[in-house]
Amino acid sequence: MKIRFKITFTKVAILIVATYLVIILAASNRVAYSQTSTDIKEVENCLINRLLNKKCTPPPKPVILPTPTISPTPTQPLTAKDRFIAALTNQFPEISQPDSYEYILLRAYGAPFVNLQSTIKLPKKVVFANDKETKEFQDTITKGKVAGTRNCYLQKSAADALNKARSQAKFRLKSGYATSDCIRNFATTTRFWRKYTNSRTLDLVKEGKETRILGTVAPPGASQHLWGLAIDLGVNNQKQIAALNKNGWFRTVEYDVPHWSYVGYPPKKLVDLGFNKKIIRGVTYWVTPL
């Protein structure tokens, strides 16, 4: 009788274990993605030990930590000033301090420095110290004649673009055929400066106390005319303006209505480069964002 009881108990135990195994296998299929085969085996052994009245220490449940939510760091869009300065880095790896004389001049006259055409020659500084520095730079540029003039020259790419604009809409030089409308020498820029200023004006400009004068005349050595990238024109209608803009010529110096600078890009590109479109007394200027 005892033997039969033991056999019966064994059969019952096996049946119970088998039932548990079926349950475990079914459950393990549902959670297979989160449990390893080793974990399942430990659970099975634990249940068998319980049936045999043995101590069972179930494996610890894995701690599932919540997936951290990482908020993407927003990318701040570049400001107009950032875009403009980025365009200048090819010419000026380091920008002068905002309160410096060079920065003041760059703000007023720096528009052409974004021109990356290989045929355009740009100075390595915004102001020449004397006639010698001016001549040394001008000797490195390739000049082109403005069509229909006696001796008006610019850098060749600038002259070609201007001649193309003139073929699309007729306009004249400010003073007719004068050389001073185009490339100038250091002495000419000095003469113009003295005509419109006094002995204190330059010091006031350097101190940042007088900047409006820069829209009338450039300090000695600072004129875009020295670079062969500026011309004074008699322009008075939208067709002429559109032709000039289409070919890379813009008014870039506030209040200097006849002054046009060769930037070399269409208007849409100027927006991308950070230029500010500014309308003063009905005249549109594309000024630097400095």
Side-chain angles (χ1 to χ4, degrees), residues 97-127:
Q97 292 298 316
D99 57 349
S100 68
Y101 179 47
E102 289 77 10
Y103 189 91
I104 292 170
L105 296 178
L106 189 63
R107 181 194 302 127
Y109 306 130
F113 284 111
V114 301
N115 193 320
L116 299 181
Q117 291 176 268
S118 60
T119 53
I120 290 294
K121 183 75 174 181
L122 295 168
K124 293 296 184 181
K125 50 171 55 180
V126 293
V127 55

Side-chain angles (χ1 to χ4, degrees), residues 4-288:
R4 183 178 299 176
F5 176 78
K6 289 182 179 179
I7 295 174
T8 302
F9 176 79
T10 301
K11 289 182 178 179
V12 172
I14 293 173
L15 179 62
I16 294 172
V17 169
T19 302
Y20 271 101
L21 290 177
V22 170
I23 295 172
I24 291 170
L25 289 173
S28 66
N29 286 335
R30 290 195 298 269
V31 297
Y33 65 89
S34 61
Q35 288 184 308
T36 65
S37 59
T38 301
D39 294 334
I40 295 172
K41 187 65 177 176
E42 288 178 352
V43 173
E44 293 172 355
N45 291 336
C46 181
L47 290 174
I48 293 174
N49 287 337
R50 281 180 177 174
L51 291 173
L52 298 176
N53 293 319
K54 293 183 178 181
K55 186 177 180 181
C56 174
T57 303
K61 293 182 179 180
V63 179
I64 302 175
L65 299 175
T67 302
T69 302
I70 302 175
S71 301
T73 303
T75 302
Q76 295 296 330
L78 293 177
T79 65
K81 182 178 178 180
D82 293 334
R83 297 197 303 274
F84 184 77
I85 289 178
L88 296 182
T89 54
N90 186 61
Q91 193 66 19
F92 298 110
E94 293 185 7
I95 304 298
S96 302
Q97 292 298 316
D99 57 349
S100 68
Y101 179 47
E102 289 77 10
Y103 189 91
I104 292 170
L105 296 178
L106 189 63
R107 181 194 302 127
Y109 306 130
F113 284 111
V114 301
N115 193 320
L116 299 181
Q117 291 176 268
S118 60
T119 53
I120 290 294
K121 183 75 174 181
L122 295 168
K124 293 296 184 181
K125 50 171 55 180
V126 293
V127 55
F128 295 127
N130 48 46
D131 183 62
K132 181 176 180 293
E133 284 189 358
T134 304
K135 286 181 177 179
E136 287 176 350
F137 170 76
Q138 292 183 348
D139 286 344
T140 67
I141 66 178
T142 301
K143 298 177 182 178
K145 188 177 182 180
V146 176
T149 68
R150 295 192 185 98
N151 53 4
C152 177
Y153 290 90
L154 302 168
Q155 288 200 37
K156 188 177 185 306
S157 293
D160 291 345
L162 186 77
N163 290 335
K164 186 176 180 180
R166 291 186 85 189
S167 70
Q168 297 167 356
K170 300 300 179 183
F171 49 82
R172 62 179 180 80
L173 274 64
K174 176 187 175 183
S175 55
Y177 301 96
T179 306
S180 61
D181 290 329
C182 311
I183 288 182
R184 296 174 184 167
N185 56 34
F186 188 86
T188 300
T189 60
T190 301
R191 176 166 54 85
F192 284 159
W193 178 257
R194 290 173 178 169
K195 178 181 178 181
Y196 293 101
T197 66
N198 57 48
S199 60
R200 277 283 298 151
T201 306
L202 187 57
D203 289 335
L204 293 174
V205 171
K206 290 181 177 180
E207 294 168 5
K209 298 177 181 178
E210 171 59 75
T211 55
R212 179 65 180 269
I213 188 64
L214 301 180
T216 301
V217 63
S223 175
Q224 295 174 346
H225 289 276
L226 297 173
W227 315 336
L229 297 175
I231 192 169
D232 289 344
L233 300 172
V235 172
N236 51 32
N237 64 58
Q238 289 302 314
K239 183 178 180 181
Q240 295 168 335
I241 294 171
L244 283 160
N245 291 169
K246 182 179 178 181
N247 289 282
W249 283 91
F250 299 88
R251 288 184 172 112
T252 66
V253 181
E254 290 184 54
Y255 303 105
D256 197 344
V257 176
H259 183 94
W260 289 79
S261 313
Y262 183 61
V263 183
Y265 299 108
K268 184 180 183 301
K269 182 64 175 177
L270 262 60
V271 174
D272 296 338
L273 290 169
F275 280 80
N276 291 330
K277 184 179 181 180
K278 197 169 184 178
I279 300 176
I280 302 174
R281 298 175 184 173
V283 178
T284 298
Y285 299 90
W286 291 85
V287 299
T288 72

